[in-house]
């Protein structure tokens, strides 16, 4: 049986085995630990470990990319052989560019992968047990899941790149329901992102769930319509991620998105949001740190395998209300005559006038709705970025600055770009977590709460 190789050895083995003109190798060492609970009882826990290897081969300007699990020399060689063959059979790549070179090697390139294990919950798990007891006493049941991951990425190339990045990623989500003679009639959710669970308090989560469930002691049914609506940071993150993912420069240049200046061109330089609005990404953001170099296992409208290893820094997508950048590969940047601005794995929304907390926005609202989170968000019209989706696990009525009851769920129809122009109040920006996208795709966001005076609740939803 072959001895597993270190990640750096996997990179070097693959580069040495390739007979293509050039080669990029990406190795990801991934560990995760999770806990799951239901009915105030821990149900499962687990720890997983895996190593994935992506080999991108280049023959002339044609490419072939193959990804698989690999820990031995034979497994790596098989991936290289497949990638080389795919590149030889492929047509010339539209996004062809010289491979990145002359980027200083990571100083920790030789370090072993960093890992996580179940001990990341040494403080959280006992507190969770106490939270179960508190919930039982209050006739509430809790359901939830926590997950912590540690991914160490090694990127090497035949042009000399040797880059390493360690990414911790964690999130928690807890849904509470009331237990009454009539059944489990109310539902509330609390969730968030974390790097290490040192800042996650299970008893505080239970307390917030209990507070929201208590708001449901009074039930108010409302019809569809436009309402003064408070979007908490969680719901704002749900929507801003869609705005970010839709900001591909090529789609905009070809007239396919809300960022297009038709028939051909982008809206870069136009005011698309209220003054004082800033949307940006920054790998060095203290609470949202992410990879400072580009990693691409395949090419598409917003990514290019030729751009692997490009250094990443702060990128302003919207600055003071003006669209300043879109997601650019080197190929799309040539088309649009704009700077190269690849995607970064975090997103921050700041509003100059934003201050206080979500509670302050609620206190300043005469009558309106307070949402918890959004769900099943889908695009209706890319030209305006009109989205539709559902509210979930808590819509509340606000009267005279106080939450006075729970409200039925709705289907909504809104554009996140339009909301950035129409909102009237914003809180300070805080780390947030998208209920829709955070679990599996994009968990590093910081957003304010926003109050929108005419948020479109297009129909009543029977979802609970």
């Amino acid at each position: 049986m072959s001895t597993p190789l270190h990640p750096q050895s996997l990179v070097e083995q693959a580069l040495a085995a390739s007979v293509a003109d050039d080669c990029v190798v990406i190795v990801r060492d991934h560990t995760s630990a999770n806990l799951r609970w239901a009915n105030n009882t821990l149900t499962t826990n687990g720890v997983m470990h895996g190593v994935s290897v992506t080999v991108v081969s280049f023959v002339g300007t044609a490419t072939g990319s193959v990804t698989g699990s690999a820990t031995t020399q034979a497994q790596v060689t098989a991936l290289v052989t497949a990638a080389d063959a795919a590149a030889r059979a492929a047509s010339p790549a539209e996004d062809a560019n010289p491979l990145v070179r002359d980027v200083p090697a990571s100083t920790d390139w030789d370090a072993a992968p960093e890992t996580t294990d179940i001990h990341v919950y040494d403080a959280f798990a006992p507190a969770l047990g106490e939270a179960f007891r508190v919930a039982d006493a209050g006739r509430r049941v809790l359901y939830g899941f926590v997950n912590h991951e540690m991914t160490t990425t090694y990127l090497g190339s035949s042009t000399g790149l040797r880059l390493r990045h360690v990414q911790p990623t964690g999130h928690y989500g807890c849904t509470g329901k009331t237990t009454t003679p009539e059944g489990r009639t109310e539902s509330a959710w609390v969730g968030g992102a974390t790097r290490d669970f040192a800042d996650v308090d299970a008893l505080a989560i239970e307390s917030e769930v209990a507070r929201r469930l208590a708001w449901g002691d009074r039930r108010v049914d409302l019809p569809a319509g436009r309402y003064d609506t408070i979007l908490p940071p969680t719901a704002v993150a749900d929507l801003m991620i869609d705005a970010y993912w839709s900001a591909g420069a090529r789609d905009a240049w070809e007239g396919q998105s809300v960022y297009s200046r038709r028939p051909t061109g982008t809206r870069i330089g136009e005011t698309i949001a209220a003054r004082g609005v800033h949307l940006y990404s920054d790998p060095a953001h203290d609470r949202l740190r992410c990879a400072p170099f580009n990693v691409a296992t395949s090419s598409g409208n917003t990514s290019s395998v030729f751009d692997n290893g490009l250094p990443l820094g702060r990128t302003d997508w919207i600055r003071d209300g003006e669209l300043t950048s879109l997601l650019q590969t080197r190929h799309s940047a040539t088309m649009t005559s704009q700077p190269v601005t690849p995607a970064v794995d975090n997103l921050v929304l700041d509003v100059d006038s934003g201050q206080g907390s979500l509670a302050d926005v609620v206190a300043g609202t005469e009558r309106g709705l307070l949402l918890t989170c959004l769900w099943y968000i889908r695009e209706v019209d890319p030209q305006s970025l009109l989205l539709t989706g559902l509210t979930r696990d808590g819509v509340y009525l606000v009267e005279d600055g106080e939450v006075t009851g729970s409200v039925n769920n709705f289907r909504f129809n809104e554009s996140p770009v339009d909301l950035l122009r129409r909102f009237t109040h914003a809180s300070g920006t805080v780390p947030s977590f998208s209920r829709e996208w955070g679990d599996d795709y994009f968990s590093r966001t910081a957003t304010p709460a926003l109050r929108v005076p005419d948020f479109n609740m297009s129909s009543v939803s029977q979802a609970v």
Side-chain angles (χ1 to χ4, degrees), residues 34 39 116 120 154 179 244 256 283 338 399:
N34 65 77
N39 291 316
T116 190
V120 73
Y154 298 82
T179 57
Y244 182 44
Q256 303 300 312
Q338 293 288 338
E399 296 176 299

Side-chain angles (χ1 to χ4, degrees), residues 113-182:
E114 295 191 23
T115 61
T116 190
D117 58 34
I118 208 69
H119 291 293
V120 73
Y121 304 120
D122 279 352
F124 178 83
L128 182 63
E130 181 60 27
F132 293 157
R133 288 187 285 273
V134 173
D136 272 331
R139 300 178 67 183
R140 298 179 296 274
V141 290
L142 304 179
Y143 306 81
F145 179 72
V146 292
N147 188 57
H148 188 253
E149 303 175 0
M150 194 72 77
T151 301
T152 307
T153 299
Y154 298 82
L155 189 156
S157 75
S158 54
T159 56
L161 298 183
R162 295 296 186 273
L163 303 174
R164 177 182 183 271
H165 175 71
V166 178
Q167 186 65 66
T169 303
H171 71 266
Y172 59 93
C174 183
T175 301
K177 293 183 178 293
T178 54
T179 57
T180 67
E182 293 77 26

Side-chain angles (χ1 to χ4, degrees), residues 273-354:
R275 291 297 184 187
V277 169
H278 309 272
L279 186 69
Y280 67 92
S281 299
D282 185 354
H285 190 287
D286 184 48
R287 300 285 296 273
L288 310 173
R289 290 188 299 278
C290 61
F293 55 86
N294 193 55
V295 180
T297 58
S298 62
S299 290
N301 281 350
T302 59
S303 65
S304 172
V305 292
F306 292 91
D307 292 347
N308 271 301
L310 281 178
L312 302 176
R314 171 166 171 154
T315 303
D316 292 303
W317 311 109
I318 298 174
R319 184 189 303 122
D320 197 21
E322 179 184 304
L323 181 66
T324 52
S325 304
L326 293 168
L327 301 174
Q328 299 268 19
T329 64
R330 282 184 291 171
H331 174 62
S332 69
T334 300
M335 297 170 62
T336 63
S337 299
Q338 293 288 338
V340 180
T341 48
V344 178
D345 198 23
N346 64 25
L347 188 66
V348 180
L349 177 65
D350 273 332
V351 178
D352 287 348
S353 61

Side-chain angles (χ1 to χ4, degrees), residues 226-308:
R226 290 188 174 271
Y227 290 92
D228 201 2
T229 299
I230 301 166
L231 304 173
T234 294
V236 174
D238 289 330
L239 297 172
M240 289 304 110
I241 290 171
D242 267 292
Y244 182 44
W245 284 346
S246 299
R250 179 164 185 171
D251 285 343
W253 180 260
E254 295 176 345
Q256 303 300 312
S257 83
V258 69
Y259 305 105
S260 300
R261 182 187 295 122
R262 299 173 186 84
T264 302
T266 74
R267 296 176 66 188
I268 290 176
E270 290 186 19
T271 297
I272 67 169
R275 291 297 184 187
V277 169
H278 309 272
L279 186 69
Y280 67 92
S281 299
D282 185 354
H285 190 287
D286 184 48
R287 300 285 296 273
L288 310 173
R289 290 188 299 278
C290 61
F293 55 86
N294 193 55
V295 180
T297 58
S298 62
S299 290
N301 281 350
T302 59
S303 65
S304 172
V305 292
F306 292 91
D307 292 347
N308 271 301

Side-chain angles (χ1 to χ4, degrees), residues 22-24 58 97-101 157-159 305-307 330:
D22 277 302
C23 187
V24 170
F58 301 82
N97 270 284
L99 293 191
V100 176
R101 60 178 69 240
S157 75
S158 54
T159 56
V305 292
F306 292 91
D307 292 347
R330 282 184 291 171

Side-chain angles (χ1 to χ4, degrees), residues 343-390:
V344 178
D345 198 23
N346 64 25
L347 188 66
V348 180
L349 177 65
D350 273 332
V351 178
D352 287 348
S353 61
Q355 58 184 341
S357 65
L358 171 62
D360 294 313
V361 179
V362 171
T365 301
E366 182 177 350
R367 191 175 194 273
L369 301 179
L370 168 63
L371 305 186
T372 298
C373 55
L374 307 176
W375 191 248
Y376 207 71
I377 303 170
R378 297 296 182 266
E379 185 179 81
V380 176
D381 176 21
Q383 303 288 352
S384 61
L385 196 55
L386 180 66
L387 305 177
T388 190
L390 303 173

